[in-house]
Amino acid sequence: MNLAEFSERCEEFIVYMDVEKGVSTNTLKSYQLDLNQFSTFWKHLQKTSKKKQLFKVVLDRFFVHFYNQNLSKSSIARKISCLNSFEKFLLTQGIDLKLSLQRPKIDRKLPVFLSVDEIFHLLDKIQTKDLPSQHPERDKTILEFLYATGIRCSELINIGMENLDFDEKTILIKGKGSKERIVLFGEKAKQQAMIYLKNERIKPQSPQEKFFL
């Protein structure tokens, strides 16, 4: 595979991953970034060498380059995942690159968490006015909701006005795969949410608006 064919196949691959596979926008952007980076590296080698640069030779030098730069294992693993997906796509087109790329083992970091005393200190001891934020009431409400419900941060930021029932003190959470569930929150979280709505939250124009702005 030469550079011109690689560039052409990359464009087809991106369309395939977007339309056929329906990958997320972030994943698509990552694939585009990694493939463009590889293409730029290949073009640079073509300019600096009189020899024709074959795909596998360029690939080896590509990863050697990043290892020498001490690129993180997670970043290298992402690039390998991209190229593995690209290789699988080419197989559907009758092209077998035989790359046999293996992701480096990622060292797992221990999660950082707050103790119960630290959570109570944040919620009960620190005054809202002392929070280093332009929207302290909103941030205090976020802390109250996270503590009261145990929902994920990604779920919390997607809460819509229509998903909240302050009379019943419930939130309709919409998760992955269109799955829905109801979670409860307490009176303390409700009172803080009321303060946020009154003092900081711009009056909602529709029930579909996000609760946290």
Side-chain angles (χ1 to χ4, degrees):
M1 177 181 290
N2 58 34
L3 179 55
E5 185 181 1
F6 172 78
S7 299
E8 182 180 343
R9 295 294 183 179
C10 282
E11 292 180 6
E12 295 173 359
F13 169 69
I14 293 300
V15 172
Y16 172 78
M17 297 304 290
D18 183 22
V19 177
E20 297 294 331
K21 291 296 185 179
V23 299
S24 69
T25 301
N26 287 339
T27 299
L28 203 63
K29 287 181 179 179
S30 294
Y31 283 167
Q32 288 176 314
L33 176 65
D34 291 333
L35 292 173
N36 287 339
Q37 199 171 35
F38 181 76
S39 179
T40 300
F41 185 83
W42 196 343
K43 289 175 185 176
H44 175 72
L45 288 184
Q46 295 278 60
K47 290 180 180 179
T48 57
S49 176
K50 295 180 180 179
K51 294 182 180 180
K52 185 178 180 181
Q53 300 296 319
L54 300 176
F55 178 83
K56 285 193 174 182
V57 174
V58 176
L59 188 66
D60 289 340
R61 296 184 66 176
F62 182 68
F63 283 109
V64 167
H65 169 73
F66 286 118
Y67 276 115
N68 289 338
Q69 287 195 333
N70 293 320
L71 190 68
S72 67
K73 288 182 180 181
S74 59
S75 295
I76 291 175
R78 192 195 73 189
K79 296 180 190 302
I80 289 177
S81 293
C82 169
L83 288 164
N84 282 337
S85 296
F86 181 62
E87 182 182 21
K88 290 177 182 178
F89 163 73
L90 290 181
L91 278 174
T92 67
Q93 309 296 308
I95 302 172
D96 188 358
L97 296 179
K98 294 183 171 65
L99 298 183
S100 300
L101 294 174
Q102 293 186 352
R103 289 161 52 94
K105 186 176 180 180
I106 307 297
D107 299 325
R108 291 190 175 185
K109 296 180 180 180
L110 293 174
V112 178
F113 59 89
L114 298 175
S115 68
V116 174
D117 288 341
E118 288 172 325
I119 292 173
F120 285 156
H121 179 74
L122 274 174
L123 297 178
D124 299 330
K125 301 298 183 182
I126 296 180
Q127 298 296 313
T128 304
K129 62 181 177 60
D130 294 329
L131 289 175
S133 170
Q134 293 182 345
H135 306 283
E137 299 293 2
R138 178 202 63 189
D139 294 349
K140 194 71 174 287
T141 307
I142 287 173
L143 291 173
E144 290 284 0
F145 271 39
L146 286 174
Y147 177 70
T149 64
I151 60 177
R152 301 180 181 91
C153 290
S154 59
E155 294 173 333
L156 179 132
I157 63 174
N158 286 313
I159 295 173
M161 297 298 302
E162 61 183 352
N163 304 136
L164 284 158
D165 186 331
F166 287 109
D167 292 330
E168 298 295 329
K169 295 196 280 289
T170 62
I171 310 173
L172 175 63
I173 298 297
K174 297 182 179 180
K176 295 181 179 179
S178 299
K179 293 182 180 178
E180 297 182 347
R181 71 183 192 279
I182 298 291
V183 298
L184 305 174
F185 57 90
E187 184 63 26
K188 193 166 179 289
K190 174 184 174 179
Q191 293 302 321
Q192 178 57 44
M194 292 295 101
I195 294 172
Y196 163 58
L197 284 170
K198 180 181 178 181
N199 297 339
E200 282 188 3
R201 179 63 164 82
I202 300 171
K203 186 177 180 180
Q205 300 300 310
S206 72
Q208 288 75 37
E209 279 190 21
K210 295 288 191 294
F211 178 59
F212 292 108
L213 293 179

